[in-house]
Amino acid sequence: MNSTTTQFVPSRRMGLYEPVHQMSMWGDFRNTLLDSSPPPELMLEVNANLDNQSEDTTSQGTFAASHRNDQEASKPDDKVLRRLAQNREAARKSRLRKKAYVQQLENSKLRLIQLEQELNRVRQQGLCVGGGIDTSQLAYTGNSNPGISAFELEYGHWVEEQNRQISDLKNALHSDMGDTELQIFVDGGMQHYFELFSMKVMAARADVFYIMSGMWKTSAERFFLWIGGFRPSELVKVLSPHLDALSEQQRLDIVNLTQSCQQAEDALSQGMEKLQFILAQAIADGLLQEGNYLPQIGAAMNKLDDLVRFVVQADHLRQETLQQLSRILTTRQAARGLLALGEYLQRLRALSSCWSSRPREQA
């Protein structure tokens, strides 16, 4: 994996305008004016006519001059300036109205998210019935961060869609569907996990501690958490027994994939430990009793971008592992692997639900 800005983490890469010179038009415009000036003969004729005017015409000329002054006082330039000022004021008021409208929409959206979360929490009560599977007990927090609130809502929809895909995949495997049609289900299941990784990138930028702590998952899922998700090597070990009739070459490829995952996981884990040490040093820098710790907090804040990169790299490793597995396996084996992974996650959620709703001993 290529190195990121954090030097201690080996990672792998995921995935001019020329200046415009405006020509000055003043010189050409000035030459045009000079070239179009009246000829000397016409200027002499005008001057002669002016000299021969009578006093009556002088008074008329005075009135004409006064009229010209009034016209200059209200020349178009002043009107343009007034119109521009009016347009600026109208635009300013329009921006204020738009800002208030957008803020109102944001408040309504957050309120809707909170109401949906409350509804989900109510529906999740008592979902663990004998032998049943909890499909949606998630750790909704009612977070005030808009990015996290949106992620919680999207993740709830993601789980619902995953449950639907598991049901469809199970029906497809029990039918006489050919590999070409079955491949469509496999591609859809893979893409569904990739969408989750993309959602997590945005959520990590909104609040990386929320993603790292696994507050968006159930308690049993958090027990197996590694850098904001499942450990890829453990995933391979869990799925391998559920894959049908692996050839010797497939077994060898899966063993090599597991080892590669473990090496990448070790590198990321060591980088995480180093980053934790650096963050602790930054926060504890100086005298802890001095009261003013804003410089230390600012220094630690600058390091949190590296923590976001760890989450992104871990999700990239998870995505690469799924893609490598799909290349190693046949279409039908990949379908069974996705089905096993989905049901495994369902069982973890069911375990969380049953544990939280277990009978308590009376004190």
Side-chain angles (χ1 to χ4, degrees), residues 132-270:
I133 294 178
D134 175 9
T135 59
S136 61
Q137 186 198 9
L138 306 174
Y140 288 109
T141 61
N143 198 297
S144 59
N145 187 322
I148 296 302
S149 298
F151 172 77
E152 288 179 338
L153 183 60
E154 291 175 356
Y155 181 65
H157 296 326
W158 186 91
V159 172
E160 293 175 359
E161 174 62 20
Q162 186 193 40
N163 294 333
R164 187 193 64 78
Q165 289 188 3
I166 291 172
S167 177
D168 292 345
L169 192 57
K170 186 180 299 183
N171 293 333
L173 284 170
H174 286 88
S175 68
D176 56 354
M177 184 178 296
D179 288 352
T180 302
E181 296 171 300
L182 190 59
Q183 185 65 46
I184 298 176
F185 288 89
V186 173
D187 293 340
M190 296 281 289
Q191 185 61 37
H192 193 56
Y193 283 100
F194 299 163
E195 289 174 359
L196 174 61
F197 301 148
S198 298
M199 289 161 48
K200 288 173 60 183
V201 172
M202 303 303 295
R205 290 171 180 167
D207 187 353
V208 67
F209 293 119
Y210 174 86
I211 295 297
M212 288 289 297
S213 64
M215 291 303 297
W216 49 288
K217 287 183 169 288
T218 59
S219 55
E221 291 176 290
R222 290 198 297 271
F223 179 72
F224 296 97
L225 197 70
W226 175 78
I227 312 185
F230 57 80
R231 189 182 287 269
S233 61
E234 293 298 325
L235 170 67
V236 177
K237 293 178 183 178
V238 168
L239 296 184
S240 295
H242 301 278
L243 302 176
D244 293 336
L246 292 174
S247 66
E248 289 300 321
Q249 183 60 49
Q250 285 178 319
R251 294 183 187 278
L252 179 60
D253 291 340
I254 289 178
V255 169
N256 292 334
L257 176 60
T258 304
Q259 293 175 350
S260 299
C261 288
Q262 289 174 337
Q263 293 174 359
E265 290 165 7
D266 291 342
L268 285 175
S269 297
Q270 292 173 7

Side-chain angles (χ1 to χ4, degrees), residues 322-363:
L322 289 174
Q323 289 177 327
Q324 288 296 330
L325 274 176
S326 68
R327 296 187 185 104
I328 294 172
L329 303 175
T330 65
T331 299
R332 194 158 295 271
Q333 288 171 338
R336 292 193 179 278
L338 283 174
L339 179 59
L341 175 57
E343 291 190 348
Y344 172 69
L345 296 177
Q346 281 184 335
R347 294 181 184 185
L348 287 178
R349 296 179 195 125
L351 175 61
S352 298
S353 179
C354 292
W355 175 254
S356 63
S357 60
R358 72 191 186 282
R360 267 69 167 183
E361 295 181 359
Q362 297 296 329

Side-chain angles (χ1 to χ4, degrees), residues 1-12 267-272 274-275 306 309-310 313:
M1 304 174 77
N2 296 334
S3 60
T4 64
T5 54
T6 308
Q7 298 179 356
F8 46 80
V9 181
S11 63
R12 186 169 56 190
L268 285 175
S269 297
Q270 292 173 7
M272 281 291 299
K274 182 66 174 178
L275 180 58
D306 294 330
R309 295 188 184 99
F310 273 104
Q313 290 173 7

